[in-house]
Amino acid sequence: MNSILTSKWTKAIVFVACLVPLALLVWRGLHDDLSADPVAFITHATGDWTLRFLVITLAITPLRKILHMPQLIRFRRMLGLFAFFYVCLHFTTWIWLDKQFVWSEMWKDVEKRRFITVGFTGFLLLIPLAVTSTAGWIRRLGGKRWRMLHRLIYVTAVLGVIHYYWLVKSDVRKPLFYGLLVAILLAWRIGTWLIGRRGHSGAAAVRREAPVTTETS
Amino acid sequence: MEAYKKLPGLLTSAHAASGSVPVKLNGVTKWPGSTTEPETPIEKVTTYNNYYEFGTDKDDPSKNARNFVTSPWTVSVEGEVAKPRKFSMDEIMKLAPLEERIYRHRCVEAWSIVVPWIGYSFSTIVKLVEPTPKAKYVAFETYYDPRQMPLGGEAGIQLPYVEGLRLDEAMNPLALLCVGMYDETLPNQDGAPVRMVIPWKYGFKSIKSLVKIRFMKDQPQTTWEMYAGGSEYGFYANVNPNVDHPRWSQASERRLGPGSGLFTPKIKTQMFNGYGDQVASLYAGMDLRKNF
């Protein structure tokens, strides 16, 4: 298992797999199979995949610990960047296909519509994370500050769920499902932090998190 | 399950009550007021719509309404009327000559279609049942059977679905009692066997699979009004580019027309969906920002 996880081929396969949702959209587009309202279809698909990648990225750390597979960390940055990739597609769909570059209308939406305001904020918060995802930036910021900054992903995930919840008209099952996943992941983080604080000194807790800086390079 | 289709007589009548497969409607005249805008292709109208009893995704109704049993069907008219009665589908098909009316249909979600509906003015029914002087409103109710519509329980709205009009709105000749579209009877997912079409209001006012019509003294509580304390729309729900939905602008719309796609420009939404000449007088003196 370890050798599979550490193989560079695995990383390549995961990379390609992460592009499958986009490939499917393109394929359906070429076959005129994006429903009667293709703009809405693409908006929803890219939004869904953003939330999925956020949840998968956030699940990496708990899975590493629960499954005793520390090597999973190799995929975290890539998965997080794919969340950013799909939110960029989502955002581009909105400004290009939906709003058709009418900036005044877009700005009105960001100001007036709370679901767009929170979605837009969540998107903005991901930008510094994507920019500082390189080993160079981890060095420059230092592990502690870098980790602080990257906790913003929880804020984005929560904002993403609220964005979805406020958008749907009445059937809130899907947004609630994502909300539940994010809540579990957040609770796990807080739980381990509390246990760590009670059981160990602060330094030990930091050490447990330390592999992030060494393994993402 | 589908044994009813084999019953003699059911499929021979003009409206082919099985409902599973639309059949051609004959003797339909062309209504002179039809829009000349390009019709939305029938495939778009039958595969992309809202009918929450059959699921909340746009393609759910076309998948889940296939075996919906629409025969026998009766529409019950009750409440403040001198002559309450039940109409069978056979009767409904014959109350007035059928007309093809090509209307713009604007969904509250800011997309729109152009559909050749078939039916006649709802006022035909009103005149037959003779509302009492107390009748000021009409409530409409969609059929609801959780066994046939198991996803209805998950839609998040209260069912059966209820809609309503003021009596004078219901009497407006544009308010259509609709039994078909695109030369045929209605497909299940679009509200078979009989529905309302109110072209100057958002689509959700055009109630599907109608089973009950109730004339009332007081304004009925409609499904979307009841939902979340009116966070969606009020009773009137007239198409109005100047009053936004709480969460999106209603100033423009995506017309799902022939050949429309990713880069088709949006069009401006018209007041009363372009039917102002016929209906604006109904709302004279009313603040449509409050009565949205």
Side-chain angles (χ1 to χ4, degrees), chain B residues 252-274:
Chain B
S252 59
E253 65 202 48
R254 258 200 302 274
R255 174 61 56 81
L256 312 180
S260 71
L262 286 179
F263 304 102
T264 311
K266 288 198 211 179
I267 58 174
K268 289 233 177 297
T269 292
Q270 304 178 72
M271 189 66 207
F272 298 118
N273 202 21

Side-chain angles (χ1 to χ4, degrees), chain A residues 35-40 42 96-100 105 109 112-113 115 166-171 173-174, chain B residues 44 48 52 56-57 108-109 154-157 227 232 244 247-249 254 256 262-266:
Chain A
S35 85
D37 194 349
V39 179
I42 294 175
W96 184 8
L97 302 177
D98 188 1
K99 293 291 156 190
Q100 301 176 337
E105 209 179 299
D109 269 359
K112 258 181 89 172
R113 324 238 172 263
F115 92 94
W166 278 345
L167 165 73
V168 297
K169 280 202 297 192
S170 70
D171 183 359
R173 283 171 301 158
K174 275 192 239 168
Chain B
K44 293 191 181 183
Y48 192 86
Y52 277 17
T56 54
D57 283 337
V108 71
E109 296 163 358
E154 290 155 13
I157 53 172
Y227 173 74
E232 286 290 325
D244 290 343
R247 280 161 296 148
W248 56 81
S249 161
R254 258 200 302 274
L256 312 180
L262 286 179
F263 304 102
T264 311
K266 288 198 211 179

Side-chain angles (χ1 to χ4, degrees), chain B residues 15-27:
Chain B
H15 59 276
S18 90
S20 285
V21 185
V23 295
K24 180 114 175 40
L25 283 169
N26 295 312

Side-chain angles (χ1 to χ4, degrees), chain B residues 8 14 51 74 79 116 131 134 187 189 193 197 256:
Chain B
Y51 193 161
T74 49
K134 285 187 196 159
Q189 65 268 37
V197 178
L256 312 180

Side-chain angles (χ1 to χ4, degrees), chain B residues 121-133:
Chain B
S121 290
F122 177 72
S123 59
T124 305
I125 299 263
V126 181
K127 287 168 193 156
L128 278 172
V129 297
E130 299 175 16
T132 68

